[in-house]
Amino acid sequence: MTANRDQKEDTQQTSNLLADAPFLEDVRRQMIKFATLQLGDGHLAEDAVQEALIGALKNASSFGGRAALKTWIFAILKNKIADTLRYKQRVVNASSLLREDEDDEALSELFDRKGHWQRDERPVAWGNPEASLREKYFWSMFEACLERLPPKQARVFMMREFLELDADEICATMNLTTSNLHVLLHRSRLRLRECIENKWYLQGERNDQLP
Amino acid sequence: MINCRNATRLLSEAQERPLSITERMSLKLHVIMCSGCQNFKDQMETLRLMTRAYAKRKNDHDE
């Protein structure tokens, strides 16, 4: 009897969460952002998020709290994204291949022929990172740098650092070898680091150009 | 002696897998002498903290 009542309370709590518009809107915004980075296409992202939310609502009765529900919704979204990517891979996108090639050239500008940093590309010591994390402008800059990554690099970086997936899981979803993954993550970190340094730390940790 | 390109590659991979003893030693030797890669090393940790703070900030923002 007690077990029944507990289950009923859980169900009740989950329905409350789903009726909590600010919570849902917040989760939805994060999902759209994540899916857009993963898929590189706003419409496909909207579709995946829509489907994931519907799937989550159907099975939501067993979730007792925000954290659990959110993890569950993102797990469904990850599957939708993986399906969409598998479908997309059958239609190889020539323009995105071009972008990854161009990226190779851009990276060779960071290092000289012996593989040492070019003089003006050498990383500098960053100021106080913790103070930066409180600045509103910092996050607009951070987001802009993420969006500037080539699509595939952005995807694996977000899977690794935003969703905190481990390497094996990312390789399986994206159909990559471990060494492919390492190359992509290395490049994404080099680029992101460079962008943050140029747009923030070399600007005196304040960017007036962004709204 | 490894170059900066390989040093940054290892510093990035260290975020995904434990490095071998040989890799750790050659990295250590390089980083001692190269301030650019020393900074890069610190920034790998900072980048991870930033991205997690970014994810968390999205959660806290409207609540």
Side-chain angles (χ1 to χ4, degrees):
Chain A
M1 287 308 277
T2 318
N4 259 349
R5 200 181 311 133
D6 282 352
Q7 202 180 1
K8 218 172 175 182
E9 276 169 16
D10 276 355
T11 308
Q12 184 62 39
Q13 200 181 356
T14 307
S15 330
N16 290 346
L17 281 179
L18 293 175
D20 178 353
F23 169 72
L24 263 195
E25 186 45 42
D26 188 36
V27 171
R28 208 183 92 89
R29 202 159 356 100
Q30 287 177 55
M31 290 169 82
I32 297 267
K33 180 140 273 169
F34 176 70
T36 306
L37 272 169
Q38 301 287 297
L39 295 169
D41 180 315
H43 291 297
L44 288 177
E46 289 271 357
D47 288 350
V49 168
Q50 202 64 33
E51 281 181 45
L53 277 175
I54 291 169
L57 295 183
K58 263 195 257 168
N59 298 293
S61 56
S62 50
F63 290 88
R66 289 182 175 211
L69 181 60
K70 199 174 145 192
T71 307
W72 166 242
I73 293 176
F74 267 87
I76 297 178
L77 179 61
K78 272 169 8 192
N79 287 333
K80 293 286 167 208
I81 290 172
D83 287 348
T84 310
L85 287 174
R86 267 180 226 118
Y87 178 77
K88 262 179 84 178
Q89 267 160 14
R90 280 182 234 143
V91 194
V92 177
N93 185 338
S95 67
S96 80
L97 282 180
L98 197 67
R99 275 190 74 177
E100 307 283 342
D101 280 350
E102 280 168 10
D103 184 56
D104 256 351
E105 278 170 38
L107 270 195
S108 72
E109 284 168 15
L110 294 180
F111 301 104
D112 66 17
R113 270 180 308 153
K114 287 183 179 162
H116 297 297
W117 291 108
Q118 300 281 10
R119 185 191 294 267
D120 53 353
E121 300 291 352
R122 186 183 294 271
V124 302
W126 286 357
N128 181 350
E130 270 137 52
S132 301
L133 303 188
R134 287 193 290 272
E135 294 257 3
K136 198 174 91 202
Y137 292 135
F138 176 83
W139 294 114
S140 327
M141 174 282 303
F142 185 79
E143 219 158 62
C145 287
L146 271 179
E147 279 159 17
R148 204 171 292 184
L149 288 176
K152 209 169 182 180
Q153 287 176 31
R155 260 171 245 151
V156 295
F157 181 82
M158 291 302 272
M159 288 176 120
R160 181 74 186 115
E161 305 292 359
F162 188 90
L163 283 185
E164 302 181 37
L165 300 182
D166 66 27
D168 291 343
E169 223 173 332
I170 302 172
C171 287
T173 309
M174 299 285 291
N175 198 16
L176 294 169
T177 65
T178 307
S179 72
N180 287 157
L181 177 69
H182 287 157
V183 168
L184 286 169
L185 285 172
H186 179 213
R187 288 181 186 179
S188 66
R189 286 171 176 142
L190 279 167
R191 285 188 151 240
L192 198 54
R193 180 218 78 70
E194 187 196 18
C195 184
I196 293 171
E197 184 163 302
N198 291 341
K199 298 219 174 297
W200 187 258
Y201 292 103
L202 298 179
Q203 309 287 329
E205 305 186 25
R206 209 167 127 263
N207 196 331
D208 293 327
Q209 291 154 332
L210 290 167
Chain B
M1 175 77 188
I2 57 173
N3 62 26
C4 303
R5 194 175 182 134
N6 287 330
T8 60
R9 183 178 58 76
L10 287 177
L11 288 167
S12 172
E13 282 182 29
Q15 304 283 312
E16 277 74 57
R17 66 172 177 93
L19 300 180
S20 73
I21 291 179
T22 320
E23 287 171 330
R24 284 209 306 271
M25 293 308 282
S26 45
L27 201 50
K28 209 164 203 168
L29 276 176
H30 179 94
V31 167
I32 285 172
M33 289 182 291
C34 176
S35 66
C37 288
Q38 176 64 60
N39 290 331
F40 184 89
K41 181 175 183 243
D42 297 339
Q43 291 163 10
M44 287 300 93
E45 278 169 47
T46 308
L47 213 49
R48 177 158 282 179
L49 287 175
M50 279 176 182
T51 315
R52 291 188 181 165
Y54 172 73
K56 192 168 175 302
R57 184 181 175 271
K58 294 246 153 260
N59 294 350
D60 296 344
H61 198 56
D62 295 316
E63 278 179 17

